[in-house]
Amino acid sequence: MKQVTGSSTSLPNIEVSIQLALDGHSFSVRGLDTTAAGPATAEILTPRTTLVPEAFAAPRNASEWLATAGLAPLADEITVCSAPQEGLVAVMALPAAALRQVQERFGQQLRFTTPLLDAPASRRHSVLLRLRAGLLYIKVYDDTLRFAEVIPAPTEADTLALIERLGAEFPLREYDLHLAGGEAKSLRRLLGKRFGKVSCE
């Protein structure tokens, strides 16, 4: 972002990760120890995440969208929304205590994101998978987005079971698999033969 003075120098974006335990009762926050100044983006890693069309995503309705998706926030959680991205907004639930920690460090002007907002390079008959913190982020495209969900998958058996269920809805042999993140190689070994083509992004 260009400053008012005309300088082209921009502040680095600070990345913070808020990860919920799979039991939903504890969390960890990474990135609070950074000393750099600049805007902060908090990546929320939770299964209580859904995508909503931008036109309907008023922040005051965020918890209602999660409840409609069967992902109602827990009693100690609060909902936040990402900035719009390609016509979609991510709605996420996170512990109010985690949000307070991040706001105390970076102020109120936080941005929120999730791996569920990632998109593959190609969207024609494509499946994007990312495994983070025991959560499998799944997006299915057939020119347009057909399916997007975050599902707990703490073991390889869980991942295989989820892909079996996905294969009952979509002919995976006709789809290209796009893998992202640090677990891409292990996912390729586990799932590659079920898809027409595999790439790591």
Side-chain angles (χ1 to χ4, degrees):
M1 174 170 42
K2 196 169 185 178
Q3 296 177 343
V4 176
T5 60
S7 169
S8 61
T9 305
S10 61
L11 295 172
N13 185 58
I14 300 165
E15 294 183 1
V16 179
S17 178
I18 300 175
Q19 177 181 332
L20 278 68
L22 290 178
D23 63 7
H25 297 295
S26 61
F27 64 90
S28 64
V29 181
R30 295 190 178 98
L32 289 178
D33 54 352
T34 183
T35 57
T41 299
E43 181 184 54
I44 313 299
L45 303 177
T46 172
R48 284 181 292 286
T49 302
T50 192
L51 298 182
V52 177
E54 180 182 354
F56 302 108
R60 66 182 180 277
N61 299 330
S63 59
E64 294 174 16
W65 280 110
L66 285 174
T68 299
L71 304 168
L74 302 178
D76 63 342
E77 290 183 332
I78 192 165
T79 54
V80 295
C81 297
S82 73
Q85 186 171 312
E86 298 182 356
L88 296 170
V89 170
V91 179
M92 302 154 278
L94 73 156
L99 182 60
R100 280 195 302 273
Q101 284 184 27
V102 179
Q103 286 178 334
E104 285 170 6
R105 172 63 180 84
F106 300 108
Q108 299 291 323
Q109 298 304 312
L110 280 170
R111 293 179 292 208
F112 300 96
T113 190
T114 170
L116 198 61
L117 286 170
D118 294 348
S122 169
R123 301 183 190 188
R124 175 145 182 81
H125 288 280
S126 296
V127 174
L128 175 66
L129 295 180
R130 179 188 286 265
L131 187 61
R132 289 283 305 277
L135 300 171
L136 189 63
Y137 291 82
I138 306 171
K139 292 180 87 171
V140 180
Y141 290 87
D142 188 359
D143 292 329
T144 60
L145 183 63
R146 300 276 313 279
F147 178 85
E149 197 160 339
V150 186
I151 307 172
T155 69
E156 284 192 353
D158 294 314
T159 299
L160 283 170
L162 291 170
I163 297 306
E164 287 290 337
R165 289 176 58 193
L166 192 67
E169 299 296 325
F170 301 96
L172 297 183
R173 287 280 184 193
E174 299 174 14
Y175 283 75
D176 293 343
L177 175 61
H178 301 270
L179 300 170
E183 302 293 331
K185 288 184 179 179
S186 60
L187 286 174
R188 182 176 194 153
R189 174 186 51 78
L190 184 66
L191 305 172
K193 293 181 179 177
R194 298 167 184 265
F195 292 83
K197 182 181 174 184
V198 182
S199 64
C200 296
E201 301 183 351

